Amino acid sequence: MPTSASTDASSAEDPRLATVPAAVAAPVRARPRRGRRPAAGGRRTDAASSGPVRPPLRRPRDCAVSGVSVGLARHLGWPLWIVRALFIALTPLWGAGVLLYAWLWVFVPWDEARPAQAAAPADTAASGEADEPIDPAEVARVRDEPTRRVPVAWILTGAAVVVTLITMIAIAMFGANGVVWTSMPGWVGGVFLATALAVSAGMWATLVDRDDPARGPRHENIVRVVLTVTLAVLLIGQLSMLRQTGVAGFVFALVPIAGIVLVYSSILVGKWRELSGERVRRIREEQRAEMAAHLHDSVLQTLALIQNRAGASTEVARLARAQERELRAWLYDGDAPADSDLPTDLRDYAAALELDYPVRIDVVSAGLPAERASGEVAAASREAMLNAARHAGGDVSVYIEGNANAVDVYVRDRGPGFDLADVPDDRLGIRQSIIGRMRRAGGSATVRRGAGGGTEVHLRFVDAGGPASPSTEVRRG
């Protein structure tokens, strides 16, 4: 067993142990591990003394071209220029550098996508469009796509234009002087090279840049138009030499035509991918519909029967209703965005209340209210539902009616009811969380007794462009 002197000596040799507080280090020295001999020199050999964990091999989503070099350098802990120089040095060895780069490009995955909610405000503030509404689904889709800093499509397009100009000069010299220092194989090679560059640029613009958040379909269309004009000029130049070149010139003139066809055929590749994705989604929807029908006829009916037999206020009925809500939401609602609409938010909140209180809450919506779950109307509605579940219990109904300009929310319970004037002044749940919140938002809140007992809370909100003017009133019944 090592003594305290040997332990102190080992801590003096290892500078990492000097940073541990004495209050923490003392218990560690008092309880050495059994059955494990200390390493030579008294140094620790556990996992804490090993080097840092190597990051996974992944490509960054914000990259120059593909992110292969950056991801590999980050994984190996090497400088970026060494990795790029290694790819270049391996290229003369029968193309090993190009093959390795392509293999990593295909099989190395991207980094995890950035959260849409965290990235959207910064981007909108930078673009000066923070006041415009943003579709959360669109933001999530954009954040899921990588972006590239190097305009590869334009580089290939520029190279195609330069090669085309050189080829046209060679064709003009051939037509003016015959076979002088230029010959037919010389400018024919330029035709093939310009066509290959144009086809590569078109496919890159369609298959890669189209989904890039920094470029998009407009960039793709502009690149395609420039490439079409370039190949058309190349075709006209060759057709003008048919008298001198004969059948061979006609055959070579088919190369730019094939290039134009291939540039636009990349559209078919994108459409094919969209159709394949739509087919997969349709198959999933059909399977989901079959599963929903089966569960509706079996599990959901059983849960409804349990609720009717057990009673609305029992623990069994509340659990059965919560499971029924969860199953129906999974079958029919799908994945809702983080800032969902008002009816969806209130249904989720009702399901949570039913687990905590002996209450049954029915949420019914009519129309398409523009109010979101993060608005003041949703907060006031949740407070009214909480009061009904906490003080009234039993059955509570929530009715939502709205359009693009206004929204009305009715929360009714079947409790004993109350008058707002009888509520003590220090109870601010209704006065501030419901009435005050709606007044500050520019809406109205009404609290009254129901016709057959209970309490009804009516919340109304009209936007600035709506026909009605908001007001705040409290009516007693």
Side-chain angles (χ1 to χ4, degrees):
M1 179 176 296
T3 61
S4 58
S6 62
T7 307
D8 295 339
S10 62
S11 61
E13 292 177 2
D14 197 341
R16 290 172 298 182
L17 298 180
T19 59
V20 181
V24 179
V28 175
R29 290 194 301 265
R31 293 175 297 177
R33 293 185 178 181
R34 297 181 179 178
R36 184 172 183 178
R37 296 180 180 179
R43 294 186 177 271
R44 298 173 61 185
T45 59
D46 55 358
S49 63
S50 60
V53 179
R54 179 176 296 178
L57 181 56
R58 293 182 180 273
R59 293 182 290 157
R61 290 185 175 270
D62 187 3
C63 57
V65 177
S66 64
V68 171
S69 299
V70 176
L72 186 60
R74 185 174 57 186
H75 176 70
L76 299 176
W78 294 357
L80 179 59
W81 68 270
I82 292 182
V83 176
R84 289 174 175 171
L86 182 62
F87 282 119
I88 296 174
L90 292 176
T91 300
L93 302 177
W94 297 279
V98 176
L99 294 177
L100 178 60
Y101 191 92
W103 184 80
L104 292 174
W105 192 348
V106 172
F107 291 102
V108 174
W110 294 102
D111 278 336
E112 296 295 333
R114 290 180 296 171
Q117 279 68 31
D123 293 346
T124 54
S127 61
E129 299 178 354
D131 295 336
E132 297 183 1
I134 300 175
D135 186 5
E138 180 66 18
V139 172
R141 186 195 68 80
V142 169
R143 290 301 162 215
D144 192 54
E145 297 294 341
T147 181
R148 296 167 174 84
R149 297 187 298 272
V150 177
V152 178
W154 282 115
I155 293 176
L156 295 174
T157 302
V161 171
V162 171
V163 174
T164 299
L165 293 177
I166 297 175
T167 305
M168 293 300 296
I169 294 174
I171 291 176
M173 295 179 63
F174 178 84
N177 304 322
V179 182
V180 188
W181 63 273
T182 59
S183 60
M184 187 172 180
W187 56 264
V188 167
V191 171
F192 280 100
L193 180 58
T195 304
L197 291 173
V199 172
S200 301
M203 289 190 172
W204 185 279
T206 301
L207 303 179
V208 178
D209 286 348
R210 181 180 179 86
D211 296 331
D212 195 327
R215 294 175 177 85
R218 182 181 179 183
H219 162 82
E220 174 196 5
N221 295 331
I222 295 175
V223 170
R224 191 180 294 120
V225 169
V226 174
L227 294 175
T228 303
V229 173
T230 302
L231 293 177
V233 171
L234 191 61
L235 175 62
I236 293 173
Q238 291 188 89
L239 293 178
S240 64
M241 293 289 103
L242 285 180
R243 182 175 298 179
Q244 289 85 353
T245 57
V247 179
F250 176 78
V251 173
F252 290 133
L254 297 177
V255 176
I257 297 177
I260 295 176
V261 173
L262 291 177
V263 167
Y264 284 90
S265 66
S266 58
I267 303 177
L268 301 178
V269 177
K271 294 297 181 182
W272 180 79
R273 293 196 304 183
E274 293 179 1
L275 292 177
S276 299
E278 183 64 27
R279 179 175 176 272
V280 172
R281 287 191 294 270
R282 185 172 65 252
I283 293 175
R284 289 177 179 174
E285 288 298 329
E286 292 177 356
Q287 294 177 348
R288 193 185 191 95
E290 294 177 359
M291 184 183 298
H294 175 71
L295 293 178
H296 181 272
D297 296 339
S298 57
V299 180
L300 291 178
Q301 295 293 339
T302 304
L303 293 175
L305 181 63
I306 292 175
Q307 296 176 57
N308 294 332
R309 294 292 180 86
S313 301
T314 60
E315 185 71 19
V316 175
R318 287 194 290 142
L319 292 176
R321 185 166 177 80
Q323 293 299 317
E324 180 187 2
R325 283 182 182 271
E326 184 178 352
L327 187 56
R328 287 185 183 275
W330 182 81
L331 289 175
Y332 303 112
D333 295 345
D335 296 330
D339 189 11
S340 59
D341 56 5
L342 181 62
T344 302
D345 177 72
L346 295 188
R347 289 190 185 98
D348 295 340
Y349 190 68
L353 289 178
E354 288 180 349
L355 294 177
D356 298 331
Y357 299 96
V359 64
R360 175 175 179 173
I361 305 177
D362 292 322
V363 180
V364 180
S365 175
L368 296 174
E371 183 69 17
R372 309 302 297 176
S374 58
E376 295 296 328
V377 178
S381 302
R382 290 192 292 265
E383 184 65 23
M385 294 168 61
L386 177 60
N387 289 337
R390 181 182 297 167
H391 302 292
D395 293 334
V396 177
S397 62
V398 180
Y399 178 69
I400 307 167
E401 182 178 5
N403 50 39
N405 297 324
V407 60
D408 292 89
V409 180
Y410 298 87
V411 180
R412 300 186 181 96
D413 62 64
R414 293 169 177 80
F418 68 97
D419 290 331
L420 187 61
D422 298 335
V423 179
D425 295 337
D426 58 344
R427 305 295 295 273
L428 303 179
I430 296 178
R431 290 187 175 91
Q432 294 298 328
S433 298
I434 299 178
I435 299 175
R437 175 177 278 127
M438 292 300 298
R439 182 190 297 114
R440 290 188 297 271
S444 64
T446 300
V447 181
R448 66 174 183 177
R449 285 181 181 270
T455 305
E456 176 184 289
V457 179
H458 176 204
L459 309 177
R460 179 170 177 79
F461 178 79
V462 181
D463 64 357
S469 60
S471 62
T472 303
E473 62 172 335
V474 177
R475 293 186 294 176
R476 302 176 186 175

